[in-house]
Amino acid sequence: MIDLYAWRTTNGLRATITLAECELPHRVIPIDVGAGAQKSPDYLKINPASQIPAMVDPDGPGGKPLVLAQSGAIVLYACQKAGRFVPDNAADQAIAMQWAWQAGTDIGGTSASMNQVEVVSPLKVQEHIDLFRKRFARYFRIVEEHLAKRDYLANTISYADFILYPNYALRRNLLDAASFPALSAWAERIGQRPGVVEGMRLHSDAGKSP
């Protein structure tokens, strides 16, 4: 049984949906970063960087326990372990890697910066907010143009789609469906998958009564 420590951030959700999609036996252990749970002594033993997600697989490579951090590494590890969502041919493998990096660095980094200027910073500067929102939309315009010619980022569904999806899902209000029709259709296909629905529960169930 894999233990996945995560929260309802884009980084956490890309890990939860991937493990659910890969159908690997696991349990999600919520780490409320807003409450500082990632700084607890017990969690720091798992990830000294004080970040989520982190994963503990007691049956890692060679049957030995594996502790892994960084959402992209966890996503790719889960897909390789399950033998799913990694393209078969070399060209699509390279394309999947490109879009995984695009989602995790350019888009993910911009989303994180938006959170800093919109939420974390005590001084809200509209010019800074607008700057990152425009950059965010520009990156997704590139995704839109790419998806206009295919159903998934690497032609067939892959780990790249799971890495990108939470960035769209948590900020879809900034991406008008009429302006991003291919992106919206892609998100509809991804969002209806049972594993994605399950993996998004940390976010979708937030605020619901127990």
Side-chain angles (χ1 to χ4, degrees):
M1 175 73 72
I2 294 173
D3 283 342
L4 178 64
Y5 299 83
W7 193 236
R8 50 179 179 263
T9 65
T10 54
N11 287 347
L13 294 170
R14 62 178 57 142
T16 57
I17 66 176
T18 301
L19 263 70
E21 279 287 328
C22 287
E23 299 181 327
L24 293 172
H26 70 283
R27 60 179 177 175
V28 176
I29 301 171
I31 300 295
D32 186 346
V33 298
Q38 78 280 12
K39 298 178 181 179
S40 70
D42 286 344
Y43 186 70
L44 289 173
K45 293 176 184 177
I46 298 167
N47 186 2
S50 183
Q51 296 175 329
I52 59 93
M55 181 202 75
V56 179
D57 184 358
D59 185 26
K64 298 180 180 179
L66 175 69
V67 179
L68 196 61
Q70 292 295 328
S71 61
I74 292 170
V75 166
L76 187 54
Y77 172 80
C79 290
Q80 290 175 331
K81 177 167 183 167
R84 303 180 66 184
F85 307 116
V86 178
D88 293 331
N89 68 75
D92 285 350
Q93 287 176 16
I95 292 171
M97 182 63 71
Q98 172 196 318
W99 284 102
W101 279 102
Q102 176 89 355
T105 57
D106 293 349
I107 294 174
T110 300
S111 181
S113 296
M114 290 164 66
N115 184 66
Q116 291 294 313
V117 299
E118 292 177 355
V119 179
V120 178
S121 175
L123 180 63
K124 309 297 187 289
V125 180
Q126 191 60 47
E127 288 83 357
H128 296 170
I129 294 172
D130 292 343
L131 171 68
F132 288 112
R133 286 188 174 185
K134 288 178 181 178
R135 183 178 298 176
F136 188 76
R138 178 168 63 84
Y139 284 142
F140 267 105
R141 175 57 57 189
I142 298 171
V143 179
E144 169 69 23
E145 293 171 357
H146 183 71
L147 288 172
K149 302 173 183 177
R150 53 190 58 80
D151 287 341
Y152 300 102
L153 293 173
N155 298 311
T156 58
I157 191 167
S158 73
Y159 65 91
D161 297 289
F162 300 149
I163 290 179
L164 178 61
Y165 179 75
N167 287 111
Y168 170 86
L170 270 60
R171 293 192 181 273
R172 67 178 69 213
N173 62 306
L174 299 179
L175 302 165
D176 176 57
S179 300
F180 296 88
L183 176 66
S184 298
W186 166 85
E188 186 73 13
R189 286 190 292 274
I190 297 291
Q192 291 181 349
R193 295 177 63 89
V196 174
V197 173
E198 178 61 31
M200 289 293 292
R201 289 193 185 282
L202 270 179
H203 173 67
S204 58
D205 288 353
K208 292 183 179 179
S209 300

